[in-house]
Amino acid sequence: MSVLTSIFQAIFQSITWLLFTSESAYSSIFHDFTGRFTGECSALTGVVHIGIAIGICISAYKIMITNSAEFVSTALELVTKKKPFKSPKPAREFMYMTVVSFLPMILWLIPTGKSGFLYNLLRMTGFNQTLFDDGIFLAITGALLLLAYKQHSVNPGKKRVTLVPALVVGFASLLLVPVSGLSLVAGVAAILILFGVSDKLVYRYCVSLSVPTLLIMGIIEVCVSTTPATVVQNIIGILLSAVAAFFCTRVFRFLLEKAYYNYFGIYNLGLGAIVAVIGIVELFVR
């Protein structure tokens, strides 16, 4: 059973993270129906997140190498008292914007009393004994994708990522990552498309934000987990999730370029409505 759990979790988490839907929503639904409302995570979840990051890195290795090279070059130029921020080339400007989008995430460390930090408080939307809010947020994810599709149909994006969309993505990510029903990849893609950013850069941006986010999440989840995983589970989890994420990243790029995310918008909107209705029933039952 532990091997089957690793296989299922690795594949399912990879698909739901990368293919325009909410990984956290499905996790919440599973925990809700199994009666697990503690918010505790398993080590396997963290291992799979690390595996997904590895798979994305391999699939989009050119993007990751370019971003890393530009980051190191900027740091070296700062040390040698050069001016790396003056008239940066497109690749460096892109890297700067991804850093800008990460900066608001520092707000996750704001203390919120008994819940710990702000991140923990937001994450509890997936463990609050009702699926009502999960359904609402899943429907919001669907609506965002449909709005993005409409915008793309009228005016396909050709712009680069500038400071304003980078900041909007950064502050939106405060909710997109921890809140059950929302999705980092779907949310970031929709926001950038609405700002008129080109499909190529939307893909690069989603990949660039996903990898460090997944690595940080994975490491923290492994460190704070209360449910350990066996060596076999970890090996299967990290290898299979890396393979699944590799192919899902390619599929994500294809769906983005063909603007097929409208189908996922309809799916998320419909599923969100069903989940919200279940949540309303739970409000009266529990």
Side-chain angles (χ1 to χ4, degrees):
M1 182 60 72
S2 61
V3 173
L4 291 176
T5 300
S6 300
I7 294 172
F8 176 80
Q9 197 164 334
I11 295 174
F12 201 73
Q13 283 185 226
S14 299
I15 292 174
T16 53
W17 181 273
L18 285 161
L19 299 188
F20 298 105
T21 190
S22 173
E23 178 198 7
S24 57
Y26 295 97
S27 174
S28 179
I29 292 170
F30 172 77
H31 289 134
D32 187 86
F33 281 104
T34 55
R36 293 166 57 186
F37 303 113
T38 62
E40 297 172 349
C41 63
S42 67
L44 181 60
T45 298
V47 168
V48 169
H49 279 147
I50 293 172
I52 296 172
I54 293 172
I56 295 174
C57 279
I58 297 173
S59 183
Y61 69 94
K62 291 182 180 179
I63 297 172
M64 305 314 301
I65 291 174
T66 300
N67 286 342
S68 300
E70 292 298 336
F71 186 85
V72 172
S73 296
T74 300
L76 291 175
E77 289 179 20
L78 285 172
V79 171
T80 55
K81 298 183 179 180
K82 294 183 179 180
K83 299 179 179 179
F85 303 110
K86 186 177 180 180
S87 302
K89 59 184 180 180
R92 180 163 295 187
E93 181 186 48
F94 179 88
M95 184 274 292
Y96 288 160
M97 294 303 104
T98 61
V99 173
V100 167
S101 291
F102 274 112
L103 291 178
M105 296 184 190
I106 297 174
L107 297 176
W108 277 335
L109 299 178
I110 295 175
T112 56
K114 294 182 179 180
S115 299
F117 298 111
L118 178 61
Y119 181 88
N120 304 99
L121 179 64
L122 294 172
R123 184 173 173 269
M124 288 306 296
T125 53
F127 306 91
N128 56 6
Q129 301 191 35
T130 177
L131 292 175
F132 177 70
D133 50 349
D134 309 80
I136 296 297
F137 288 122
L138 190 57
I140 290 174
T141 299
L144 280 173
L145 289 172
L146 291 176
L147 284 173
Y149 175 76
K150 184 176 181 180
Q151 169 66 22
H152 189 275
S153 300
V154 174
N155 185 22
K158 297 180 181 180
K159 299 179 182 178
R160 70 186 195 280
V161 183
T162 55
L163 184 59
V164 172
L167 284 172
V168 172
V169 165
F171 283 101
S173 296
L174 290 173
L175 300 178
L176 293 175
V177 176
V179 173
S180 179
L182 298 180
S183 162
L184 179 69
V185 169
V188 170
I191 290 169
L192 294 181
I193 292 169
L194 289 170
F195 271 102
V197 176
S198 69
D199 294 341
K200 179 180 179 181
L201 291 181
V202 171
Y203 165 73
R204 290 181 61 191
Y205 216 79
C206 290
V207 166
S208 299
L209 290 184
S210 287
V211 170
T213 301
L214 284 163
L215 286 175
I216 293 171
M217 286 174 57
I219 293 171
I220 292 175
E221 286 165 345
V222 169
C223 292
V224 304
S225 64
T226 56
T227 306
T230 65
V231 175
V232 175
Q233 279 184 303
N234 287 330
I235 293 174
I236 293 175
I238 199 165
L239 291 178
L240 192 55
S241 59
V243 172
F246 175 88
F247 289 106
C248 285
T249 303
R250 300 298 175 91
V251 174
F252 168 69
R253 183 173 186 175
F254 171 79
L255 294 172
L256 191 61
E257 291 175 347
K258 297 296 182 181
Y260 287 157
Y261 41 84
N262 62 312
Y263 297 111
F264 291 89
I266 296 170
Y267 168 75
N268 288 328
L269 199 60
L271 180 60
I274 295 171
V275 172
V277 170
I278 296 174
I280 292 174
V281 174
E282 289 177 336
L283 288 174
F284 289 99
V285 173
R286 290 175 176 165

